Amino acid sequence: MDEDVLTTLKILIIGESGVGKSSLLLRFTDDTFDPELAATIGVDFKVKTISVDGNKAKLAIWDTAGQERFRTLTPSYYRGAQGVILVYDVTRRDTFVKLDNWLNELETYCTRNDIVKMLVGNKIDKENRDVDRNEGLKFARKHSMLFIEASAKTCDGVQCAFEELVEKIIQTPGLWESESQNRGVKLSSKEEGYGGGGACGGYCSML
Amino acid sequence: MAADSEVSVLPISFPVRFVVAVSLLIAPFSPQPESEVFEITDFTTASEWERFISKIEEVLNDWKLIGISSGKPLEKGVYTTGTWEEKSDEISFADFKFSITHHYLVQEHSDKDGKEELVEDALPLPMQDLLCMNNDFPPRAHCLVRWYGLREFVVIAPAANNDAVLSESKCNLLLSSVSIALGNTGCQVPLFVQIHHKWRRMYVGECQGPGVRTDFEMVHLRKVPNQYNYLSGLLDIFKSKIGCPLTPLPPVSMAIRLTYVLQDWQQYFWPQQPPDIDALVGGEVGGLEFGKLPLGACEDPISELHLATTWPHLSEGTIVENDVYSDLDPIQAPQWSVRVRKADNPQCLLGDFLTEFFKLCRRKESTDEILGRSAFEEEGKEVADITHALSKLTEPAPVPIHKLSVTNMVHSAKKKIRKHRGVDESPLNNEVLNTILLFLFPDAAEKLADGFESRTNTSSGNNPPPESEDYNLFSQFKSAPSDSLTYKLALCLCMINFYHGGVKGVAHLWQEFVLEMRYRWENNYLIPGLANGPPDLRCCLLHQKLQMLNCCIERKKARDEGKRGSMSDRSPGGTSGDAGKGADHSGDNPDKEKEFGKSWESWSDSEEEFFECLSDTEDLKGNGHENGKKGGAKEGNKEPVNLKPEGRLHPHGKLTLLHPGEPLYIPITQEPAPMTEDLLEEQSEVLAKLGTSAEGAHLRARMQSACLLSDMESFKAANPGCCLEDFVRWYSPRDYIEEEVVDEKGNIVIKGELSARMKIPSNMWVEAWETAKPVPARRQKRLFDDTREAEKVLHYLAVQKPADLARHLLPCIIHAAVLKVKEEEALEDISSVKKIIKQIISHSSKVLRFPNPEDKKLEEIIAQIMSVEAVIARARSLKAKFGVEKCENEEEKEDLQRFVNCLLEQPEVSVVGAGRGPAGSIIHKLFLNAQRVSAVPPLDEDLRRSGPAEERRPNTGGAADFPPPAGREVILRTTVPRPAPYSKPLPQRMYSVLTREDFRLAGAFSADTTFF
């Protein structure tokens, strides 16, 4: 079954408590929505195989608890992730303000610096919006992230968010290539300077 | 082929040329279209030869080399600055394979569309190039470019390297094919065939234009006929080859280059001495001390200097050179240029260190196997068997163990005993071992008696400041910070591997190191040189393991001291002190984490409350469950109010408990368990294996709820009478929703409740809350079993083989090497090196970040570092030779520095001011000195070797200052009508090169073919 899977990717979901991380994940993996989803303890884990541009990728998605106290525990699982989804709640400005902390956290605990980051503004179905789309956009641009607004409840943008992220990861070769077992043939990057391999090279005529 | 070495087989001109009259040979690609369509053309009987020719034409067509070649006159030096490219194809004559290659200078096609007016009878471009003097003697170029000054040409050569066209008839056949193909296609690009063995680089060729033809001919001899030693003789042969019917002959222009080679740099000894190993123990001799890597070449990385003195444009008659007199004094030459020949693989220290260390990675022996035999004879159990180390340390030792320094003393004492017995086979001697241990564990020295010179962290001054780019390199390389114990250990092992007993020494030091770790764990001494806190996952695993051990030591120490403290505390104060204590701690506890390790006394008492007694935790668990259930059944989850608060950290400040209205206290909590990356890996695997089902998720949450439960218990203990709402307000504030409500009296009050998800019946939070007993952190079951974890780490360390160790630490070594070359480059300022270092860093950070990088990639990195080291060594060598440092005139010094840098990066550098410039006069002196030294003894030998020709070589002018030229190149050019006086005047050129073992004439003679 796994034979045609190009690679396995580790994806993280982080963000303040109650912004809907687990709901986004549940919508993506099981296409359901539960308004009363229990608060995550520590980390949770789900798997889904998706196909992006004809490439099948198996996603191991780690969902984390947003509570401050759990932050001594969860960052351990950041290790080796290729992509991260950073979620805030568009109806709660404080969850948006805290994004900087989360990025710092990532910086500190992520073992790689080329990890692909996506910013998701969740709960756009709600009426009492507190964070404008442009603000999210601005933040994402400043930190070179992907950006989308979504609603786990109405399903808006969820699939798209994960797909975009995976596509971006796949396009960043150094990020996943070496972890897959069967690597393709690598083209040698031999530098062919003139005189290096030519008939007689550079210093030919003399001595 | 040494037999035919005396005189080349090939005569200067081809005596017979095939007259081509093959009727069948109608080129299918000929530019003139066939006029008669009905005529049947029969190729069925075409010979191999015909097919060969048509194949050549086909290739020329494919490459679009047909027609008039256009281009601008060549600019000066464009052969060096421009890019050369080549295209290849394969053709065969019967079953003999040839490769056909087009070499060309890439030119801008500015006039492609303009198709500048073609002058009716303009000469083909290659013929014009023959006379162009802008690119004589290019420093790097194909030999045909150097010999004929061509910007493009096609070469047909045997495809296999050892194939050769030897017989004269075959050579002629090939040349005829070329001639026919050129004629058929109208291609104006010169076409050469390579004949004879490849190493002789013999080419003949032809270039055709409308009514003109140039023949390229060549002579290659081992021994030079006497007359060709001098200009006069060369002029004679040139004129006779042209056979010009005109008198007087138009003047011949000459370009001459004499090259001199300097091989021995007499008084300029290579500055770097091999490091003195014996002096190492003392410390800093030769830049080599523990904790540093060496850099530099052990031999001169510059082997030769070639000085080319050039007269770019002389006309015939202005200069005389024959067997009795010469006007060619190198000092007077208008142009000087220099190139240096680099030693192929100079032995360099840093490179050797790296390579040797890398070799360790492939050893298979375990530490015991390596040390076993020598240790076996004596106190086997003491040295070889680490598992007994514990008992050894608890045994009565010759020295009391209360001082940290004792470990070192014990080791040396052990060695001394062995020495007295007369068998000292331990790979490291005491002095070296002690120096290293002091270097690694400077805290031992601090507490040492005055007997030793106290050498504290001398190297710390050289470390880049934290937060700098260099300092943070460790996170890119996954090594360890440059001031850490791990990093220093890596450097020491590297040094020992190289100088002190190789793999045996490594095994020995490692064993001592592991013993020291064990000793520190047993005796509650923190390991120095490691950042506080949980293992840094950005560092290598070994570093994480050491940090883990330090965490264990920290906790054990706190516990042990807590026990001692509480025991003494308990008797006077009893329970009454508890309430006050809570308040006391509220002030100092928040800082305690930061102060870790600074001063033991200041914080030890604050930790005393931890883990007093495990056994009653178990008791409480049993009871607590029931209690919890009862409590849960009652609304509000209220605990009995009469409980005394315990384990308070400090008041929350803003919040009060919902029901009693007392201030909400933040409890002292257990720190979560530190983890190394391998543990994490294990744990996430376990968590992942639970699968994605609801049960799996539930189980996963339960597995991770220990921490939550512990926090809840601490919270309950610190806040008697609290409820889940209180806890949630502290722990997950967003799950407590407050609303402004207008009550019946019309006042606005804030009403709060748990969020919907917290209210789900029997969700994990509620469940845990119900289970939780009010137990302060100190009486809870430990979340982190430091004893077990420490033993696991110590075992892990003990079973590491030297090869494992080398793999663990290789990133640190590469890190150190990069810092070293960076530091050294900063002194020299070589831009090319800067660039390569950047590449090395980005390359290594890609390779080293993944577990188990491929050996091949690691080797690449090491090779890159070695090449950088060689460049730096060369720069230093050149600087010393040219006395850059000694130069007093600032401006000249800068010029010299620039000159030296150019020598490193360019194939050939011209000397400003030639022999009279500052660089020139230094070069002159270098030669002069070399000449003086060699002048006395080797006179006879010289005569014998150089033979009669050189014996009579004129000894005038600069000859005394310079050795005889190692190479003489002369280009003669003129434009004369050939073959008849009324023919078109056409370019004629002859290049000659004469070196010690080889003489070559390469002539290009053009003739008007209109009436001939």
Side-chain angles (χ1 to χ4, degrees):
Chain A
M1 183 194 100
D2 276 5
E3 274 158 29
D4 54 344
V5 167
L6 179 67
T7 180
T8 302
L9 300 177
K10 179 172 177 178
I11 313 277
L12 283 176
I13 308 186
I14 59 174
E16 287 291 298
S17 76
V19 295
K21 297 181 289 297
S22 304
S23 297
L24 280 173
L25 181 54
L26 194 66
R27 170 60 83 191
F28 174 62
T29 56
D30 299 12
D31 199 21
T32 53
F33 179 73
D34 180 356
E36 294 189 346
L37 203 56
T40 308
I41 290 173
V43 295
D44 199 9
F45 170 80
K46 283 202 186 301
V47 181
K48 180 164 180 167
T49 303
I50 66 166
S51 171
V52 175
D53 294 344
N55 297 317
K56 270 199 176 168
K58 187 173 163 188
L59 309 184
I61 310 166
W62 290 84
D63 182 21
T64 63
Q67 280 81 8
E68 184 126 16
R69 285 285 304 171
F70 283 121
R71 283 202 211 167
T72 49
L73 192 69
T74 49
S76 320
Y77 295 93
Y78 291 10
R79 218 174 74 84
Q82 286 106 338
V84 61
I85 295 180
L86 181 47
V87 188
Y88 68 95
D89 178 350
V90 295
T91 68
R92 304 194 70 144
R93 176 157 292 277
D94 56 335
T95 65
F96 180 75
V97 173
K98 286 275 175 71
L99 289 177
D100 276 317
N101 293 4
W102 286 102
L103 282 180
N104 283 338
E105 197 107 323
L106 262 188
E107 186 109 327
T108 320
Y109 295 102
C110 230
T111 46
R112 53 197 339 154
N113 39 20
D114 47 359
I115 185 168
V116 179
K117 289 170 279 192
M118 164 164 273
L119 182 63
V120 175
N122 194 22
K123 305 196 187 177
I124 48 169
D125 55 286
K126 288 198 173 182
E127 297 198 336
N128 53 336
R129 182 191 268 268
D130 200 13
V131 183
D132 192 69
R133 185 169 191 277
N134 282 330
E135 289 180 82
L137 213 59
K138 224 172 101 187
F139 185 89
R141 177 182 300 150
K142 184 173 160 198
H143 296 97
S144 359
M145 308 165 85
L146 298 164
F147 175 68
I148 195 169
E149 287 196 333
S151 162
K153 192 174 180 179
T154 64
C155 204
D156 279 327
V158 179
Q159 189 73 19
C160 187
F162 282 89
E163 279 172 8
E164 279 290 309
L165 183 69
V166 171
E167 189 172 355
K168 193 84 184 174
I169 293 172
I170 301 234
Q171 284 167 2
T172 316
L175 204 49
W176 54 275
E177 238 173 10
S178 61
E179 304 206 339
S180 65
Q181 299 299 321
N182 39 353
R183 222 172 305 170
V185 182
K186 262 204 177 153
L187 296 172
S188 65
S189 55
K190 246 191 284 170
E191 1 169 31
E192 295 264 287
Y194 186 80
C200 63
Y203 302 95
C204 58
S205 63
M206 291 285 308
L207 310 174
Chain B
M1 254 330 276
D4 75 335
S5 59
E6 277 309 288
V7 177
S8 165
V9 185
L10 207 78
I12 283 179
S13 70
F14 288 87
V16 189
R17 176 154 297 197
F18 282 113
V19 178
V20 184
V22 187
S23 59
L24 276 180
L25 210 113
I26 299 160
F29 300 103
S30 144
Q32 301 98 343
E34 286 296 300
S35 47
E36 324 247 335
V37 194
F38 308 107
E39 199 174 313
I40 290 173
T41 322
D42 177 11
F43 291 111
T44 53
T45 54
S47 68
E48 292 288 356
W49 183 41
E50 286 163 311
R51 273 199 285 271
F52 178 64
I53 293 168
S54 80
K55 186 70 192 153
I56 296 176
E57 292 171 16
E58 198 178 314
V59 171
L60 293 178
N61 251 306
D62 283 351
W63 289 344
K64 301 194 169 57
L65 300 180
I66 308 304
I68 295 159
S69 50
S70 65
K72 290 181 208 155
L74 292 161
E75 280 165 42
K76 197 152 187 70
V78 72
Y79 282 3
T80 317
T81 55
T83 15
W84 286 85
E85 282 180 8
E86 54 184 74
K87 256 190 267 185
S88 272
D89 207 338
E90 203 162 83
I91 53 176
S92 53
F93 193 132
D95 54 355
F96 192 96
K97 284 204 166 63
F98 289 93
S99 72
I100 177 165
T101 311
H102 179 213
H103 299 260
Y104 58 99
L105 178 74
V106 180
Q107 296 177 84
E108 299 145 50
H109 294 281
S110 56
D111 43 312
K112 186 91 181 173
D113 39 8
K115 268 282 175 207
E116 68 206 279
E117 323 83 72
L118 294 164
V119 186
E120 183 64 12
D121 49 354
L123 283 175
L125 212 51
M127 294 189 195
Q128 298 176 30
D129 288 349
L130 288 176
L131 292 184
C132 173
M133 309 223 285
N134 283 336
N135 287 284
D136 289 347
F137 314 116
R140 287 182 80 83
H142 189 281
C143 52
L144 287 172
V145 176
R146 195 176 175 93
W147 296 337
Y148 293 119
L150 299 170
R151 75 178 80 180
E152 74 173 324
F153 52 92
V154 173
V155 176
I156 298 173
N161 255 337
N162 44 1
D163 271 343
V165 181
L166 292 174
S167 82
E168 200 175 323
S169 64
K170 279 184 187 164
C171 295
N172 286 339
L173 188 66
L174 270 178
L175 197 57
S176 303
S177 318
V178 163
S179 193
I180 295 163
L182 288 177
N184 282 338
T185 55
C187 167
Q188 293 193 349
V189 177
L191 189 48
F192 290 86
V193 290
Q194 182 166 20
I195 54 177
H196 285 264
H197 292 282
K198 286 216 169 168
W199 60 266
R200 295 189 63 182
R201 288 192 265 131
M202 288 283 288
Y203 298 86
V204 287
E206 188 169 313
C207 174
Q208 292 186 8
V212 288
R213 188 185 75 217
T214 301
D215 293 319
F216 297 94
E217 303 169 359
M218 199 171 288
V219 177
H220 179 225
L221 301 175
R222 274 287 169 83
K223 195 120 194 166
V224 56
N226 214 358
Q227 65 270 28
Y228 302 144
N229 263 322
Y230 308 103
L231 207 52
S232 49
L234 292 171
L235 276 168
D236 289 345
I237 188 176
F238 182 55
K239 285 175 188 162
S240 76
K241 272 302 296 178
I242 296 168
C244 177
L246 292 183
T247 42
L249 212 61
V252 175
S253 96
M254 308 181 289
I256 301 170
R257 166 175 279 207
L258 304 182
T259 302
Y260 300 88
V261 174
L262 181 63
Q263 269 165 323
D264 49 49
W265 309 85
Q266 294 311 323
Q267 75 286 35
Y268 288 91
F269 288 115
W270 173 231
Q272 187 141 358
Q273 304 285 321
D276 181 356
I277 299 164
D278 293 332
L280 273 181
V281 179
E284 296 104 62
V285 179
L288 266 181
E289 62 180 300
F290 289 112
K292 293 218 170 124
L293 288 175
L295 183 137
C298 297
E299 56 189 317
D300 196 333
I302 299 289
S303 57
E304 288 177 5
L305 180 139
H306 294 190
L307 168 68
T309 57
T310 309
W311 290 262
H313 191 178
L314 295 170
S315 17
E316 191 188 355
T318 56
I319 208 151
V320 176
E321 194 206 33
N322 53 39
D323 54 355
V324 289
Y325 176 79
S326 172
D327 278 331
L328 299 173
D329 177 1
I331 298 174
Q332 306 300 326
Q335 284 176 11
W336 275 25
S337 55
V338 172
R339 60 173 60 172
V340 289
R341 182 138 170 185
K342 295 142 189 169
D344 282 341
N345 277 310
Q347 195 203 349
C348 289
L349 285 171
L350 181 62
D352 286 355
F353 261 61
L354 288 176
T355 333
E356 287 303 314
F357 191 79
F358 185 61
K359 280 186 196 157
L360 269 187
C361 297
R362 294 189 182 138
R363 302 294 293 238
K364 296 216 164 62
E365 308 92 320
S366 69
T367 311
D368 284 358
E369 279 164 5
I370 290 165
L371 294 180
R373 246 160 282 127
S374 64
F376 188 68
E377 299 162 17
E378 318 148 64
E379 305 146 87
K381 66 163 190 252
E382 208 179 8
V383 185
D385 199 348
I386 297 175
T387 53
H388 288 181
L390 202 150
S391 59
K392 192 198 84 189
L393 283 160
T394 49
E395 272 167 24
V399 206
I401 310 194
H402 58 264
K403 272 186 190 167
L404 193 51
S405 59
V406 162
T407 35
N408 292 332
M409 307 295 274
V410 173
H411 300 315
S412 28
K414 190 174 71 197
K415 302 288 145 48
K416 261 173 203 139
I417 295 166
R418 241 184 268 154
K419 250 190 185 157
H420 285 302
R421 286 187 191 161
V423 248
D424 187 9
E425 287 188 49
S426 72
L428 290 179
N429 72 44
N430 285 337
E431 268 180 298
V432 173
L433 186 61
N434 277 334
T435 317
I436 294 173
L437 289 174
L438 274 175
F439 170 70
L440 292 177
F441 305 106
D443 56 342
E446 279 157 26
K447 300 198 180 180
L448 213 61
D450 303 26
F452 269 87
E453 66 216 283
S454 100
R455 291 182 59 231
T456 44
N457 238 355
T458 44
S459 60
S460 64
N462 301 331
N463 284 323
E467 303 310 316
S468 78
E469 193 189 327
D470 283 352
Y471 186 82
N472 286 324
L473 212 55
F474 76 88
S475 62
Q476 286 186 55
F477 284 14
K478 205 159 166 43
S479 54
S482 52
D483 50 2
S484 68
L485 174 64
T486 320
Y487 186 91
K488 287 189 203 164
L489 173 69
L491 292 179
C492 289
L493 288 173
C494 193
M495 171 81 80
I496 281 177
N497 182 46
F498 200 75
Y499 279 129
H500 302 284
V503 69
K504 279 191 173 183
V506 168
H508 185 185
L509 176 61
W510 179 239
Q511 205 171 49
E512 295 288 348
F513 186 88
V514 176
L515 278 174
E516 175 75 23
M517 291 298 107
R518 160 83 54 190
Y519 176 84
R520 283 175 181 262
W521 160 245
E522 303 284 346
N523 295 285
N524 291 354
Y525 290 120
L526 279 181
I527 306 162
L530 297 172
N532 298 316
D536 189 338
L537 303 182
R538 293 171 299 172
C539 299
C540 67
L541 182 59
L542 194 70
H543 186 78
Q544 295 178 32
K545 292 280 183 191
L546 296 178
Q547 281 187 304
M548 183 71 157
L549 186 59
N550 230 11
C551 288
C552 297
I553 296 174
E554 237 171 57
R555 302 229 178 161
K556 173 161 168 279
K557 183 173 177 170
R559 198 171 58 247
D560 288 354
E561 285 177 5
K563 260 184 212 157
R564 221 175 303 138
S566 65
M567 258 185 267
S568 54
D569 250 2
R570 186 84 17 120
S571 33
T575 38
S576 65
D578 256 357
K581 225 179 262 169
D584 280 351
H585 293 161
S586 64
D588 57 26
N589 272 346
D591 299 331
K592 120 201 138 188
E593 292 295 332
K594 286 164 208 157
E595 285 177 348
F596 246 149
K598 259 192 185 166
S599 137
W600 288 103
E601 285 71 32
S602 66
W603 76 288
S604 58
D605 63 337
S606 66
E607 286 285 73
E608 74 194 29
E609 294 179 327
F610 264 107
F611 319 121
E612 240 173 27
C613 166
L614 277 172
S615 59
D616 67 4
T617 318
E618 300 301 325
D619 284 352
L620 279 171
K621 265 213 155 169
N623 300 342
H625 204 61
E626 283 172 74
N627 278 352
K629 282 242 165 96
K630 273 182 225 156
K634 292 174 198 166
E635 63 89 29
N637 297 345
K638 273 187 199 159
E639 298 300 333
V641 189
N642 59 353
L643 268 181
K644 290 252 191 284
E646 283 184 282
R648 286 176 166 177
L649 186 60
H650 58 84
H652 185 280
K654 289 177 205 151
L655 297 179
T656 56
L657 294 184
L658 290 172
H659 295 295
E662 288 200 22
L664 188 152
Y665 278 88
I666 290 171
I668 296 170
T669 50
Q670 286 200 51
E671 287 302 310
M675 303 253 252
T676 51
E677 65 187 29
D678 51 346
L679 284 179
L680 269 170
E681 200 70 43
E682 253 172 58
Q683 187 162 335
S684 37
E685 225 163 85
V686 170
L687 292 180
K689 267 194 188 139
L690 292 174
T692 53
S693 64
E695 299 81 59
H698 190 75
L699 212 53
R700 197 157 31 230
R702 185 165 296 271
M703 279 177 67
Q704 296 175 87
S705 63
C707 186
L708 180 66
L709 183 70
S710 153
D711 287 348
M712 282 177 169
E713 294 195 328
S714 308
F715 188 81
K716 280 186 175 178
N719 298 289
C722 63
C723 56
L724 180 57
E725 279 85 348
D726 293 319
F727 178 76
V728 166
R729 282 191 300 155
W730 166 53
Y731 212 85
S732 182
R734 260 185 290 275
D735 278 305
Y736 187 74
I737 295 151
E738 289 179 322
E739 274 180 318
E740 293 179 347
V741 182
V742 182
D743 65 4
E744 54 272 23
K745 288 174 194 160
N747 295 331
I748 295 170
V749 291
I750 291 171
K751 199 177 160 240
E753 58 173 343
L754 286 180
S755 66
R757 63 175 182 177
M758 284 294 174
K759 283 197 281 197
I760 306 168
S762 77
N763 78 70
M764 192 80 60
W765 292 66
V766 174
E767 218 171 84
W769 182 255
E770 285 169 359
T771 319
K773 295 310 307 153
V775 181
R778 67 186 151 110
R779 286 214 306 271
Q780 290 169 8
K781 189 180 180 195
R782 277 190 273 166
L783 288 176
F784 174 64
D785 185 346
D786 49 56
T787 317
R788 213 187 70 185
E789 292 304 324
E791 287 302 334
K792 268 164 78 182
V793 171
L794 289 169
H795 176 74
Y796 180 88
L797 297 181
V799 299
Q800 295 301 302
K801 296 176 186 172
D804 303 330
L805 204 54
R807 292 228 178 250
H808 278 302
L809 295 175
L810 192 63
C812 292
I813 296 295
I814 290 175
H815 179 174
V818 167
L819 286 188
K820 182 68 185 176
V821 291
K822 227 176 155 179
E823 176 193 326
E824 302 280 338
E825 184 279 327
L827 303 175
E828 307 298 328
D829 194 29
I830 311 161
S831 55
S832 65
V833 171
K834 269 198 193 74
K835 228 165 67 194
I836 304 173
I837 290 178
K838 267 193 194 135
Q839 285 168 7
I840 295 177
I841 290 178
S842 77
H843 185 196
S844 327
S845 57
K846 272 180 208 138
V847 171
L848 296 175
R849 224 164 30 186
F850 295 109
N852 308 319
E854 288 167 47
D855 279 6
K856 218 181 93 204
K857 290 186 175 170
L858 294 171
E859 274 162 11
E860 266 170 36
I861 294 174
I862 292 173
Q864 276 178 315
I865 294 175
M866 286 167 80
S867 75
V868 166
E869 184 187 22
V871 176
I872 294 174
R874 279 180 204 129
R876 299 219 161 127
S877 170
L878 285 172
K879 256 180 151 177
K881 292 186 169 91
F882 283 90
V884 174
E885 295 308 325
K886 277 181 272 171
C887 183
E888 273 153 20
N889 183 334
E890 269 308 312
E891 205 173 311
E892 277 182 22
K893 189 172 174 175
E894 259 175 52
D895 286 347
L896 269 182
Q897 177 75 55
R898 211 171 304 131
F899 177 70
V900 165
N901 285 347
C902 288
L903 276 178
L904 283 174
E905 288 169 12
Q906 295 167 15
E908 188 173 284
V909 181
S910 70
V911 181
V912 179
R916 277 169 286 271
S921 61
I922 290 172
I923 296 166
H924 183 189
K925 258 183 235 149
L926 285 172
F927 275 101
L928 202 61
N929 287 327
Q931 278 299 96
R932 268 192 207 135
V933 174
S934 62
V936 199
L939 204 74
D940 296 340
E941 200 190 319
D942 213 31
L943 285 181
R944 223 178 302 132
R945 193 176 47 199
S946 48
E950 248 160 309
E951 198 178 344
R952 274 180 285 128
R953 189 157 275 191
N955 200 21
T956 54
D961 295 4
F962 289 85
R968 295 166 52 89
E969 291 168 276
V970 176
I971 301 174
L972 302 175
R973 278 175 277 231
T974 190
T975 306
V976 293
R978 275 182 84 214
Y982 47 85
S983 300
K984 198 195 279 184
L986 290 169
Q988 318 292 340
R989 168 181 169 126
M990 189 179 80
Y991 168 92
S992 88
V993 54
L994 166 65
T995 67
R996 192 149 269 172
E997 56 279 331
D998 169 290
F999 172 69
R1000 187 186 302 270
L1001 288 177
F1005 304 106
S1006 317
D1008 190 337
T1009 53
T1010 312
F1011 302 107
F1012 296 91

